[in-house]
Structures are given as C-alpha cells and as structure tokens.
Amino acid sequence: MTTKSRGINAAAGDIVITRLFNAPRELVFSAWTDAEHLKKWFAPDGCSIHFKHIDVREGGTFHSCISVPNYGDCWCIGTYIEITSPEKIVYSISNADEHGNRAVADDAGKDPDWPLETMVTILFENYEGKTKLILHQNAPEDVAKRTGAYPSWLQMLDNLERELQ
C-alpha cells in the first residue's frame, strides 16, 4: 500500500511528516536550499552541522557532518536529484565517513536495519497564506523512531520554525 500526495509515493511504513509553517513558501524553500540557512537549523537539538561542501542544484552534491555531543560525528553524503523552486526538493542521502566514502550502517555505528541509501522528498505547498511542508524519506519509520532519526526530523523542523520567525 502506498500513500500518494502530489509528487510523493510513500510505501507503507515510510517516514512521512507534514508540518505547517507561518511563512511564505519561497522563504521556507530558501531555508532548505541556502547553505547559510541550513547551518542554523538543520541539526537536532544540542547538535551542530558542518558542510564540507554543499552544491544545491540538480546534480549537485553535499558532504555534511552532524556533531552529536556524547556520541560523535554523523557524516552523510548525498546528491540533489530534483529541485523545482519553490515547490519540491528530492535528494539522496547515505551514511559516509569524513572522507566522503559511503559507509554501511554498521561501519558508521548506526543501526544495521538502516538502508544504505534513502531518498528524501520535500514538498512545499501554499496553504491558506502559510506553507504546508510534506517530508517523505523512504526509510522504515519504526527503525527511524528506534534510532532517533524520526525525532531528529521533528526537532529540525521545530528549529526551522523558530528560524523562520
């Protein structure tokens, strides 16, 4: 069974989060595509993000590190697959090492049930003068909740909401 919503084709059990922001769609979209904006909110509470590089365009790549106190660093790499301003962003994301080499979950110190690569789709819709954001990651929601990835998304979206005010 799948969930379909204008550009999202989520399998049952995937991560799907919907959030309403009291900000114009163009501003919310910009917060996802501007590296300076991302540095301010794209990490869970108590954590920080550093980009070794980020090139936000179709075919562009990123190499990021979220530093987690009392745990260490979480390196990721990814590629932007689709960017339709101000409506949609699709990118791949994989665990990596500090040199940008893809790492399986076990080697990266992550749950072995986490997929090697996932796709993240973000939709931005005008909704009654606000922005409705729909986030889909093709990863098992139960694993994401167990590992902290799901609550991390929620915290990051809370951070984004504060950043937009």
Side-chain angles (χ1 to χ4, degrees):
M1 178 135 176
T2 62
T3 302
K4 286 196 171 220
S5 172
R6 290 190 197 161
I8 290 185
N9 189 11
D14 279 1
I15 299 167
V16 177
I17 300 170
T18 301
R19 184 70 68 93
L20 194 60
F21 292 96
N22 188 18
R25 179 168 73 157
E26 291 76 12
L27 179 60
V28 180
F29 183 87
S30 176
W32 282 84
T33 56
D34 180 285
E36 292 307 310
H37 277 293
L38 284 167
K39 290 176 190 176
K40 295 176 183 176
W41 68 268
F42 200 76
D45 294 346
C47 303
S48 61
I49 188 162
H50 162 75
F51 291 97
K52 252 191 165 173
H53 78 267
I54 182 167
D55 181 10
V56 184
R57 63 178 174 82
E58 288 187 11
T61 61
F62 64 89
H63 183 196
S64 65
C65 177
I66 293 181
S67 295
V68 183
N70 303 321
Y71 173 76
D73 292 337
C74 178
W75 289 93
C76 293
I77 55 172
T79 301
Y80 289 97
I81 308 300
E82 179 182 347
I83 299 178
T84 305
S85 179
E87 301 167 5
K88 185 176 185 180
I89 300 170
V90 179
Y91 63 91
S92 66
I93 187 166
S94 301
N95 290 318
D97 64 20
E98 65 183 298
H99 305 291
N101 301 307
R102 189 175 289 191
V104 296
D106 281 344
D107 293 343
K110 305 290 188 283
D111 189 293
D113 292 333
W114 191 258
L116 179 62
E117 178 179 79
T118 64
M119 297 297 287
V120 177
T121 301
I122 313 293
L123 298 180
F124 305 84
E125 299 176 356
N126 286 318
Y127 183 79
E128 298 180 0
K130 300 179 181 185
T131 302
K132 180 179 178 182
L133 182 144
I134 303 169
L135 180 149
H136 168 240
Q137 185 174 22
N138 69 333
E141 185 176 294
D142 62 334
V143 175
K145 286 181 175 178
R146 182 175 73 227
T147 63
Y150 188 89
S152 292
W153 275 124
L154 297 178
Q155 290 172 15
M156 290 173 5
L157 293 173
D158 289 345
N159 294 341
L160 173 58
E161 187 169 6
R162 284 189 290 276
E163 176 66 21
L164 293 170
Q165 293 177 356

